Amino acid sequence: MHSSIKKNTVYNMIKTLASIIFPLITFPYISRVLQPENVGKVNFGNSIVSYFTLVATLGIITYAVRECSASRNDQKKLERTASELISINFVTMLLSYAVLIICLIFIPKFVDYRLLIAIQSLAIFFQVIGADWLNTSMEDFRYITIRTVVFQFVSLILMFLFVREPEDYIIYAVISLIASSAGQFCNVLYRRRYGNIHLVRHMNWKKHFPPIIGLFAMILSQTIMNSIDI
């Protein structure tokens, strides 16, 4: 157990270090190439998508880590809990996308950002289907770290190859999506080692929804405080 904690700590340190170094390398280059106006467009799109991501995930991620961690030694219970939570998350994702589509159609401010926001919003889909909270619950930080660092490195190379002009901010948005979300595709196959986790009709809303909403309220208030200037 003690050895496992040490290894997880090292993996988390590597992942955290990579998440710090990656922006330090990319931000100066992107700021110079895209210019402030286009960097602002990308940041604006990200800020809008972040709110819809909150609606799609609610407090499911934090709640799922807690619940799946508690049942990880019972495979049947883990399969049932994870399947219910990923199904709830899928429903909330569809609701979030429905509202986002309405906003993109009817809010004039979003007219010039439709393509950009549509691309960036794919992160919501990837996050839901990837269900990375399951890997965290199982304390599989080695896999999380390797996957994250690999896709950040690939994205870094793609950025230097394809982002050369101010008009390439859409390409930059796609590459950023690869850096942050491409690994979620790996999760779909990787999580089979934990059991048969799939979409289900019975989701036990009465058990899961109250704590999820409570966590969502706290996360939303924190996000608003951090993003309101943007």
Side-chain angles (χ1 to χ4, degrees):
M1 179 65 72
H2 187 64
S3 175
S4 176
I5 293 174
K6 281 186 175 181
K7 288 180 180 179
N8 289 340
T9 301
V10 171
Y11 288 131
N12 272 325
M13 288 177 62
I14 294 172
K15 180 174 175 289
T16 302
L17 187 62
S19 68
I20 294 173
I21 294 175
F22 184 71
L24 288 177
I25 297 174
T26 59
F27 185 75
Y29 176 77
I30 290 302
S31 299
R32 184 176 69 253
V33 173
L34 296 185
Q35 303 298 316
E37 181 181 356
N38 290 326
V39 172
K41 290 178 181 179
V42 175
N43 289 339
F44 175 76
N46 278 327
S47 68
I48 297 301
V49 170
S50 69
Y51 288 107
F52 287 95
T53 302
L54 272 178
V55 174
T57 58
L58 295 178
I60 291 173
I61 295 175
T62 304
Y63 175 74
V65 170
R66 186 187 72 186
E67 292 297 303
C68 292
S69 295
S71 58
R72 65 182 181 182
N73 294 323
D74 184 338
Q75 185 171 348
K76 288 186 178 180
K77 185 178 179 181
L78 176 65
E79 290 177 351
R80 182 173 66 254
T81 301
S83 295
E84 289 177 1
L85 291 174
I86 200 171
S87 299
I88 290 174
N89 207 171
F90 197 81
V91 172
T92 56
M93 178 195 70
L94 293 178
L95 293 174
S96 179
Y97 269 121
V99 177
L100 176 59
I101 291 170
I102 292 172
C103 290
L104 291 179
I105 293 174
F106 293 105
I107 296 180
K109 176 70 175 178
F110 291 166
V111 171
D112 295 332
Y113 297 91
R114 284 175 180 169
L115 177 59
L116 177 63
I117 292 176
I119 291 171
Q120 292 172 319
S121 72
L122 289 173
I124 302 173
F125 174 73
F126 294 145
Q127 183 169 327
V128 171
I129 66 168
D132 211 24
W133 41 261
L134 182 59
N135 298 314
T136 304
S137 302
M138 304 304 290
E139 296 185 359
D140 198 346
F141 297 108
R142 178 178 180 271
Y143 162 72
I144 295 173
T145 300
I146 293 173
R147 182 205 65 195
T148 301
V149 172
V150 167
F151 279 106
Q152 284 184 337
F153 181 72
V154 170
S155 301
L156 186 65
I157 295 174
L158 293 175
M159 201 171 297
F160 288 131
L161 287 176
F162 296 105
V163 180
R164 298 293 187 88
E165 304 292 338
E167 296 75 20
D168 292 337
Y169 70 94
I170 295 293
I171 298 175
Y172 170 62
V174 173
I175 294 173
S176 297
L177 184 68
I178 293 172
S180 63
S181 303
Q184 303 290 355
F185 269 125
C186 301
N187 289 357
V188 176
L189 298 175
Y190 187 82
R191 64 169 169 256
R192 292 178 180 176
R193 63 168 52 198
Y194 304 134
N196 182 22
I197 298 166
H198 55 282
L199 296 178
V200 295
R201 291 186 178 182
H202 175 67
M203 305 174 206
N204 202 347
W205 289 88
K206 290 183 179 180
K207 174 186 176 182
H208 299 304
F209 209 59
I212 286 173
I213 290 297
L215 288 168
F216 169 67
M218 290 188 291
I219 295 170
L220 178 61
S221 61
Q222 182 180 6
T223 302
I224 291 174
M225 291 300 296
N226 291 337
S227 305
I228 196 167
D229 57 331
I230 297 176

